[in-house]
Amino acid sequence: MSTPPPGTPLPPLAGGTGGPAALRPLLDTVLDALHQGALARGGPLPAGGPGPVTERLLDAVGPALPATGTGAEEALRTLVRALAEGAADPADPRCAAHLHCPPLAVATAADLAASALNPSMDSWDQGPAASALETHVARALAAEVYPREPAPDALLTTGGTEANQLALLLARERHGPVQLVCGANAHHSLHRAAWLLGLPEPVAVPAPTGVVDPAALDEALTDLHHPLLVTATAGTTDTGGIDPLPDIADLCARHHAELHIDAAYGGPLLFSDVHRARLHGLSRAHTVSLDLHKLGWQPVAAGLLAVPDATTLAPLGHQADYLNADDDTEAGLPDLLGRSLRTTRRPDVLKIAVTLRALGRRGLADLVDRTCAAAQHLADLIENTPGLELHDRPTISTVLFRPTRATDDDIATIRRTLLTEGRAVLGRARADDRLWLKATLLNPHTTPSDLEALLSLLSHLSLPEGSTHR
Ligand SMILES: *Cc1c(COP(=O)(O)O)cnc(C)c1O
């Protein structure tokens, strides 16, 4: 084995008492590079589309693993700048396609501390305080969902996908191979979870208006064999619609079906006095998925699966002698393995805890209210713009619209043109058998004039040559 030449400095560590001093100058470099990259981009995303964007990135980056390193400063400057220059930045009001939120600065700063300390949430001896904080915050958030239960709990997940998977897994462990019954508007991750868990093919109930039709659900539940698990959505991906939760909960009770509510998008309406009532019925679900990396302004990942009683989670219990030996558990070391299917796990709770404390319920409610108000304002603008058609008034913060004379092909082309020219990131959704442009507003800083500017991008685009008008 060859030893490095004497005097070669070892790269400093992030932790310990020396970590902050080592990090400080590197953070200056990172922050400068973020700033420079955003300036160079000058818009919501880089222009040119995948070919040129990839080419510029590879030109800037060079070989991924050079024989001799360039040093921390240079590597951070080059890569962070290149990534920022080539980013689709949800902090730009013209980046509004997906449930892709602009993270709060306070949450992002907290996430740095999580990286520096690097607790791992699979055993107490890798994160003594972090694991205590996780349970504390998870239970508090679960109590928002289940305010009348004595011992609600929640698991931290990588997002709605993992939360939905866990919900199906817990239902299967309680009842055997459950038949999933979900709306045609349900998130695709539920289908994948059913597939992954070896469950029967889900039965899809029509959602002709964008939300589940209770009469159709009643009919489906009458015909199907038990055990049944119904999933409802509070905040659909396409329109932001909220299924009629109380009606669905009543039907589940009548048909002895369990209920999972996927509130990945809409869940944080709970914080708002103005909007909480829309989630009426949420607490009647056996499990609820939430995502704070959507309407919660967290950097990815910040998902939760809430349950009304901590004992519901018992089926996830698992033993590995090196992590949770029986004698350690008996001696009082908390057993963390049953709080996830993952092993090594980031303390995503830290940024969440810091945000909850920094903003409080009122601060979070204010962000939710502003975001929903921006969507209402965008809908008003669309209704008052000749040549634009609004699909429907927004339920949360998703607004579907289209130029009146456009065909579906035009809509798809308009979206890609805006992407390629680096002007805007808008989504697309099919509703009422037509394709719509989709703005998913998640930026509480968005102003009325930002929204006007977003719409004016469309009036500057002429419809593609030869488009056949409807
Ligand atoms: C975003 C979303 C998901 C998936 O969540 P991820 O965080 O992307 O894993 C599931 N269901 C709904 C309703 C969503 O909005």
Side-chain angles (χ1 to χ4, degrees):
M1 195 181 108
S2 69
T3 45
T8 305
L10 277 171
L13 302 178
T17 54
L23 273 172
R24 204 178 298 277
L26 299 179
L27 286 183
D28 275 342
T29 304
V30 167
L31 299 179
D32 283 346
L34 285 174
H35 184 70
Q36 294 299 326
L39 281 178
R41 187 181 65 240
L45 84 161
V53 170
T54 304
E55 202 173 305
R56 284 201 297 274
L57 177 92
L58 296 180
D59 278 353
V61 165
L65 180 58
T68 305
T70 60
E73 293 282 340
E74 192 285 335
L76 284 169
R77 193 170 351 103
T78 302
L79 283 161
V80 172
R81 190 194 144 116
L83 213 65
E85 186 172 347
D89 185 355
D92 187 305
R94 291 163 291 176
C95 182
H98 301 285
L99 287 157
H100 172 206
C101 79
L104 296 173
V106 64
T108 309
D111 221 14
L112 172 73
S115 289
L117 294 166
N118 209 27
S120 180
M121 310 303 279
D122 47 328
S123 65
W124 185 82
D125 55 5
Q126 299 177 80
S131 58
L133 184 67
E134 182 176 274
T135 343
H136 178 59
V137 172
R139 287 181 181 157
L141 287 169
E144 295 293 311
V145 177
Y146 295 109
R148 285 180 300 279
E149 302 293 337
D153 201 353
L155 301 179
L156 272 282
T157 69
T158 52
T161 302
E162 192 194 4
N164 285 342
Q165 266 173 23
L166 286 167
L168 266 58
L169 172 66
L170 290 172
R172 188 194 71 181
E173 292 305 293
R174 283 194 296 276
H175 302 290
V178 287
Q179 171 68 58
L180 190 63
V181 184
C182 56
N185 59 355
H187 194 261
H188 64 86
S189 61
L190 288 161
H191 295 263
R192 274 199 168 179
W195 165 76
L196 176 71
L197 293 166
L199 300 177
E201 184 77 19
V203 170
V205 173
T209 60
V211 295
V212 163
D213 172 12
L217 177 62
D218 192 11
E219 206 173 302
L221 292 177
T222 306
D223 294 345
L224 290 167
H225 295 294
H226 289 82
L228 296 170
L229 173 67
V230 173
T231 68
T233 311
T236 64
T237 310
D238 277 352
T239 68
I242 299 177
D243 284 336
L245 305 180
D247 293 349
I248 293 175
D250 287 346
L251 287 170
C252 288
R254 184 157 357 120
H255 290 279
H256 307 289
E258 290 222 337
L259 175 60
H260 168 65
I261 298 181
D262 180 357
Y265 176 14
L269 297 183
L270 283 172
F271 298 128
S272 161
D273 290 341
V274 180
H275 297 289
R276 185 179 309 120
R278 293 162 189 260
L279 295 182
H280 187 62
L282 189 70
S283 62
R284 294 174 67 190
H286 293 83
T287 43
V288 173
S289 297
L290 301 168
D291 252 351
L292 293 176
H293 58 227
K294 292 175 176 172
L295 215 45
W297 300 283
Q298 298 300 300
V300 173
L304 291 145
L305 179 74
V307 295
D309 190 277
T311 57
T312 312
L313 303 173
L316 299 177
H318 184 69
Q319 225 250 313
D321 206 54
Y322 74 111
L323 293 172
N324 60 351
D326 284 342
D327 55 298
D328 275 349
T329 306
E330 276 156 29
L333 296 192
D335 169 2
L336 308 186
L337 268 196
R339 296 194 68 83
S340 182
L341 293 181
R342 289 176 281 156
T343 307
T344 302
R345 196 155 67 76
R346 274 175 69 81
D348 287 317
V349 70
L350 178 60
K351 63 198 172 196
I352 297 172
V354 168
T355 304
L356 298 181
R357 182 179 170 102
L359 276 69
R361 187 196 308 280
R362 267 197 216 115
L364 281 163
D366 181 54
L367 297 183
V368 168
D369 294 351
R370 282 171 188 274
T371 305
C372 294
Q376 294 298 333
H377 188 72
L378 180 60
D380 291 344
L381 287 175
I382 292 165
E383 282 184 326
N384 293 323
T385 305
L388 287 184
E389 179 182 354
L390 177 70
H391 172 253
D392 206 349
R393 299 299 306 182
T395 306
I396 306 177
S397 66
T398 302
V399 184
L400 302 192
F401 61 104
R402 47 184 283 156
T404 38
R405 296 180 308 122
T407 64
D408 285 1
D409 285 348
D410 294 340
I411 300 282
T413 305
I414 289 170
R415 190 185 97 86
R416 281 192 297 271
T417 304
L418 292 170
L419 284 178
T420 312
E421 293 181 354
R423 289 174 192 273
V425 192
L426 288 175
R428 54 186 279 172
R430 191 158 276 286
D432 301 340
D433 252 338
R434 289 195 287 163
L435 194 62
W436 300 79
L437 293 168
K438 175 174 82 165
T440 311
L441 302 186
L442 287 180
N443 185 342
H445 290 260
T446 297
T447 63
S449 63
D450 291 331
L451 296 171
E452 282 160 29
L454 184 65
L455 291 184
S456 76
L457 289 174
L458 293 177
S459 51
H460 295 312
L461 275 183
S462 49
L463 291 181
E465 285 292 317
S467 72
T468 45
H469 302 321
R470 300 181 70 245

